[in-house]
Amino acid sequence: MSRIGFIGTGHIAAPIARLLARKGHEIFVTERNASVSAALKAEINATVSDPQSVIDQSEIVFLCLRPQIAAEVLGPLTFGSEHRIVSVMAAVSEEELRSLCAPAADFVQTIPLGFLEQGGCPMAAYGNDQLLADLLAPENPVVKVASEASLNAHFAICAMVPGILDLLATGSEWLADQTGDADGAEFYTTQLMAGFLATMNKGQAGRLAAERDALATDGTLSLQMTQALQTDKAHQALRDALTAIGKRLET
């Protein structure tokens, strides 16, 4: 088992720390978010320390800071060549990480979402993907990517999740307006989507389109829905948003 530290303790770091603690690792966290770090101390016996102490006590260090403060927080800290680094910070490049964490040279950059604690969260990995797999698989599948550009594209797709949730919330609200039952409407909407996706074969390109076409046949309500979304340029809006996010991650 390893000694694992977290620089930055928030909504991404906490579920990772809990999962790793269940796997038997020793956890060290900073007090950047006092309420979260206190909860982790109570829940998983995490050691709460200042950032340099966390680094000094750890073999593997997760960097879970907001990108805009990464240089400010990491700049004064000292890493060792023995440290292995996992960065979950969007738009902080490999070049910047190597500069901020020198002489550490063993890196992996990835994109976790909070539900990884329950498993089933795909982890795009640029760099030492085996390090990530050793820590978080098999509960969460690790998907190796070949470049930072590919990693950033996966970051953009992750941003699609709240967009889809926003659409589901609108649909649920519409259903509640029709039925007068907001709780039932949200339960039905979420279970409908979760149940359908759970039945799909994983990892087959074209499967999403094939499932769409199997439902949206001539004269069906499903075809009316897909045609309306195409006509109102919802798909183009999604592509435009993903492209804009991708460009933002390049800067």
Side-chain angles (χ1 to χ4, degrees), residues 150-166:
S150 294
L151 181 71
N152 286 339
H154 285 77
F155 268 117
I157 289 295
C158 285
M160 193 171 68
V161 172
I164 291 173
L165 291 175
D166 195 28

Side-chain angles (χ1 to χ4, degrees), residues 5-19:
F6 289 82
I7 306 299
T9 311
H11 72 285
I12 292 297
I16 302 174
R18 287 193 292 264
L19 175 59

Side-chain angles (χ1 to χ4, degrees), residues 1-250:
M1 295 297 102
S2 299
R3 300 187 307 277
I4 301 176
F6 289 82
I7 306 299
T9 311
H11 72 285
I12 292 297
I16 302 174
R18 287 193 292 264
L19 175 59
L20 292 174
R22 288 203 304 270
K23 288 172 168 273
H25 299 287
E26 188 175 1
I27 305 299
F28 303 85
V29 300
T30 60
E31 199 177 14
R32 188 158 194 89
N33 187 316
S35 61
V36 174
S37 58
L40 290 174
K41 181 178 181 178
E43 292 171 15
I44 62 173
N45 197 32
T47 300
V48 181
S49 304
D50 63 88
Q52 189 61 61
S53 294
V54 167
I55 292 171
D56 292 343
Q57 295 175 91
S58 301
E59 302 165 278
I60 300 168
V61 181
F62 275 75
L63 304 179
C64 305
L65 299 162
R66 296 191 305 277
Q68 59 268 31
I69 65 170
E72 173 190 344
V73 174
L74 297 176
L77 302 177
T78 300
F79 291 82
S81 59
E82 74 281 4
H83 284 119
R84 292 180 289 169
I85 308 295
V86 181
S87 172
V88 304
M89 302 183 296
V92 178
S93 69
E94 179 188 13
E95 181 180 4
E96 186 175 1
L97 284 173
R98 290 189 180 280
S99 175
L100 290 170
C101 301
D106 190 352
F107 289 87
V108 63
Q109 296 167 260
T110 190
I111 313 163
L113 294 177
F115 70 91
L116 95 167
E117 186 178 359
Q118 286 75 44
C121 179
M123 307 284 289
Y126 175 59
N128 186 354
D129 58 296
Q130 189 58 53
L131 169 60
L132 201 64
D134 289 343
L135 292 172
L136 298 173
E139 296 89 347
N140 300 284
V142 173
V143 180
K144 184 177 179 60
V145 300
S147 67
E148 280 191 284
S150 294
L151 181 71
N152 286 339
H154 285 77
F155 268 117
I157 289 295
C158 285
M160 193 171 68
V161 172
I164 291 173
L165 291 175
D166 195 28
L167 290 173
L168 290 175
T170 297
S172 174
E173 290 164 4
W174 180 89
L175 181 57
D177 289 342
Q178 312 308 306
T179 65
D181 181 2
D183 289 343
E186 185 150 319
F187 174 82
Y188 184 83
T189 302
T190 55
Q191 291 302 301
L192 181 69
M193 296 302 173
F196 182 81
L197 290 174
T199 67
M200 291 182 59
N201 291 331
K202 307 299 189 296
Q204 296 182 1
R207 186 65 173 173
L208 289 168
E211 292 288 353
R212 174 202 64 203
D213 294 343
L215 291 170
T217 55
D218 286 346
T220 61
L221 303 177
S222 297
L223 181 62
Q224 183 177 346
M225 174 63 75
T226 58
Q227 288 178 335
L229 292 174
Q230 289 281 2
T231 299
D232 290 341
K233 300 183 178 179
H235 294 269
Q236 189 58 52
L238 174 59
R239 285 184 170 273
D240 290 345
L242 290 170
T243 298
I245 291 168
K247 289 180 178 177
R248 177 179 173 186
L249 289 167
E250 291 173 3

